[in-house]
Amino acid sequence: MSLRPVHVVGGGLAGSEAAWQIAQAGVPVVLHEMRPVRGTDAHQSDRLAELVCSNSFRADDWAGNVVGLLHAEMRRLGSLIMAAGDAHQVPAGGALAVDREGFSQAVTERLEAHRRVTIVREEVAGLPDRSWDSVIVATGPLTSPALTEAILGLTGEGQLSFFDAIAPIVHLESIDFDVAWRQSRYDKEGPGGDAAAYINCPMDKAQYEAFIDALLDGPKAEFKEWENVPYFDGCLPIEVMAERGRETLRHGPMKPVGLTNPHNPTVKAYAIVQLRQDNALGTLFNMVGFQTKLKHGAQVEVFRTIPGLEGAEFARLGGLHRNTFINSPRLLDVQLRLKADPRLRFAGQVTGVEGYVESAAVGLLAGRFAAAERRGHTLAAPPPTTALGALIGHITGGHIEGGKFQPMNINYGLLPPMEAPRHGADGQRIPVKERGRAKKRLMSERALHDLDAWLAGPVKAAAE
Ligand SMILES: Cc1cc2nc3c(=O)[nH]c(=O)nc-3n(C[C@H](O)[C@H](O)[C@H](O)COP(=O)(O)OP(=O)(O)OC[C@H]3O[C@@H](n4cnc5c(N)ncnc54)[C@H](O)[C@@H]3O)c2cc1C
């Protein structure tokens, strides 16, 4: 029986991986890439899977770094992006960095050579043709304006973002609760009945003044000319607020009212930094109102001067970028299909993941889902204990109700937590400072074990 093709729009990191997975599953695929007919502001060539900036896929250590774990999972699933990356790596210590031209040339050649892949160089300048009954939209952060307009028509205003304005996100376990405390302003109950939704970090006057100086003096990242990111008054970078007056933050996101420090109840804090839960698991908290263009190194340095955050580990740092992404938790089902038009799947950065590897990972899953569907099956998503499952969980449901959905790199905070082990497999006590690494190893081992079980498991029939 000849199968109808799946159409993939966008031959970047996600689209190339999706097309490969579909073809490898025995299903024909048509990959529509607009370059070189139409360019973007960042791409330079007509190659597929072009790396628009750094040449790094980040750490390659599966046991101690979650991006390395994602690499390992993708390799197990026959990822083209990982195979081409491995074949074209350049020396980079513990990171997987690649020869960018060799890498994307390899991806292009392997897709061009695949008998089930047809590559069409054209812009899909509106909603995909109605006759395409299975489509993966993987057009990335620089989706062409005509397609963006069409997506906006489907999703509605407010469900498609053109910029990410991200406040730093901190791992809960790295916050010092001998200094910080949980309380909502005026003990106000939220809809879930929780009156202690926020984590509060107090500052005295000297700490606040030093913090403002550090914000004003810290090095800032520049916008690229084409990014032309506008500042919205509700979402100003924290250093821009500080520039407007030294007291602005104390009357804005850092106002010290309606809160009592249980560690020091008689002393009123001069300013208070608040953190709010960021994921459904409750392992990650974002710094409220702290979106910033400070350079990453400066963010770590300055934000670790905040009392209670001296040992903060950041799941992601703040930023403000041009980025096109949809409100996936609301718009997509667990199969990455648009609820309003299920023939369309989304993949890559446009779904609200961030990074080359994460974009390719979502492409990999979208491709497998689409191929299984074409064959009359439903492929369940990988378990949430895997890096792949955690990513898809984040974009289709892991984000908390009411919170503003913002793009995210993979991080251990997206996986269900485990206790740090006190003893090794040999029964020996693990020194305290090595327990964090031992915990990451356990989580990574659990992930690969669960991924293998998922791979070996049955594909659920669509009728079930
Ligand atoms: C300037 C910039 C720098 C970045 N730097 C990094 C970095 O250093 N490291 C990192 O990990 N991540 C980085 N990212 C984030 C992100 O990981 C990459 O953008 C990544 O390439 C996203 O993969 P993708 O497949 O979703 O999109 P892309 O790789 O951008 O692929 C999308 C493809 O779709 C095509 N396309 C767009 N619209 C249409 C259309 N209507 N019809 C047909 N084709 C279309 C584009 O030409 C492109 O080839 C950066 C992003 C930007 C914008």
Side-chain angles (χ1 to χ4, degrees), residues 78-98:
S79 160
L80 171 63
I81 294 299
M82 290 311 302
D86 287 338
H88 290 275
Q89 59 180 287
V90 295
L96 174 59
V98 306

Side-chain angles (χ1 to χ4, degrees), residues 144-461:
S144 74
L147 182 57
T148 303
E149 193 63 32
I151 296 171
L152 200 58
L154 270 181
T155 59
E157 284 288 337
Q159 303 301 319
L160 183 71
S161 300
F162 300 100
F163 303 95
D164 47 23
I166 294 168
I169 295 174
V170 178
H171 287 277
L172 174 70
E173 62 189 10
S174 67
I175 299 173
D176 180 1
F177 280 95
D178 289 337
V179 177
W181 75 97
R182 285 184 185 257
Q183 185 186 9
S184 299
R185 235 181 257 291
Y186 303 108
D187 300 312
K188 210 166 155 196
E189 270 192 25
D194 190 345
Y198 289 79
I199 295 171
N200 303 284
C201 298
M203 278 185 183
D204 62 23
K205 187 167 191 317
Q207 287 164 331
Y208 178 78
E209 294 296 345
F211 178 72
I212 298 295
D213 286 339
L215 277 185
L216 294 175
D217 295 346
K220 322 285 183 311
E222 299 294 330
F223 288 126
K224 300 239 172 31
E225 203 178 301
W226 55 266
E227 280 191 300
N228 193 20
V229 176
Y231 291 145
F232 305 104
D233 250 12
C235 198
L236 285 176
I238 184 164
E239 61 278 2
V240 174
M241 278 191 265
E243 278 164 16
R244 290 187 173 181
R246 297 185 69 87
E247 290 290 291
T248 308
L249 285 169
R250 229 168 67 74
H251 295 285
M254 293 173 70
K255 60 177 176 284
V257 300
L259 296 163
T260 306
N261 182 352
H263 308 298
N264 209 351
T266 54
V267 176
K268 188 118 189 71
Y270 192 72
I272 291 177
V273 175
Q274 289 202 300
L275 295 98
R276 185 172 47 219
Q277 190 172 330
D278 198 78
N279 65 337
L281 286 174
T283 49
L284 301 175
F285 278 71
N286 67 64
M287 298 173 69
V288 179
F290 269 51
Q291 49 282 343
T292 176
K293 284 293 284 180
L294 275 183
K295 288 199 166 160
H296 281 181
Q299 289 186 40
V300 174
E301 206 175 295
V302 175
F303 297 150
R304 282 191 182 153
T305 66
I306 297 170
L309 300 187
E310 293 88 347
E313 292 297 333
F314 295 92
R316 76 160 301 160
L317 288 159
L320 217 63
H321 306 102
R322 161 93 184 272
N323 191 6
T324 310
F325 63 99
I326 58 172
N327 187 3
S328 296
R330 172 169 280 204
L331 299 174
L332 301 185
D333 68 13
V334 290
Q335 288 275 310
L336 297 168
R337 285 176 303 217
L338 192 70
K339 291 175 195 162
D341 189 356
R343 79 190 168 105
L344 302 181
R345 276 189 169 76
F346 282 77
Q349 181 121 346
V350 75
T351 62
V353 293
E354 173 100 11
Y356 300 146
V357 184
E358 290 86 338
S359 297
V362 178
L364 182 154
L365 290 172
R368 287 193 166 224
F369 289 154
E373 186 180 72
R374 183 55 99 215
R375 293 183 162 282
H377 305 297
T378 303
L379 178 65
T385 46
T386 62
L388 283 162
L391 260 190
I392 202 163
H394 172 68
I395 55 180
T396 62
H399 201 72
I400 51 171
E401 266 304 299
K404 171 111 179 75
F405 178 63
Q406 287 289 0
M408 178 79 102
N409 287 111
I410 185 68
N411 63 80
Y412 279 111
L414 297 180
L415 278 66
M418 286 176 100
E419 284 293 318
R422 289 163 181 267
H423 297 93
D426 54 3
Q428 291 285 319
R429 207 169 178 312
I430 302 174
V432 174
K433 63 176 183 355
E434 287 170 24
R435 286 185 193 160
R437 179 154 178 94
K439 183 169 93 167
K440 287 179 181 170
R441 184 175 191 100
L442 278 186
M443 290 175 81
S444 295
E445 283 171 354
R446 176 182 68 177
L448 293 181
H449 172 271
D450 291 356
L451 187 78
D452 286 343
W454 173 77
L455 267 173
V459 170
K460 279 197 259 152

Side-chain angles (χ1 to χ4, degrees), residues 10 12-14 33-35 43 53-54 124 139-141 144 349 355-356 359:
L13 275 297
E33 167 53 54
M34 69 177 181
R35 291 174 291 122
H43 292 83
C53 187
S54 129
V124 174
T139 43
S144 74
Q349 181 121 346
Y356 300 146
S359 297

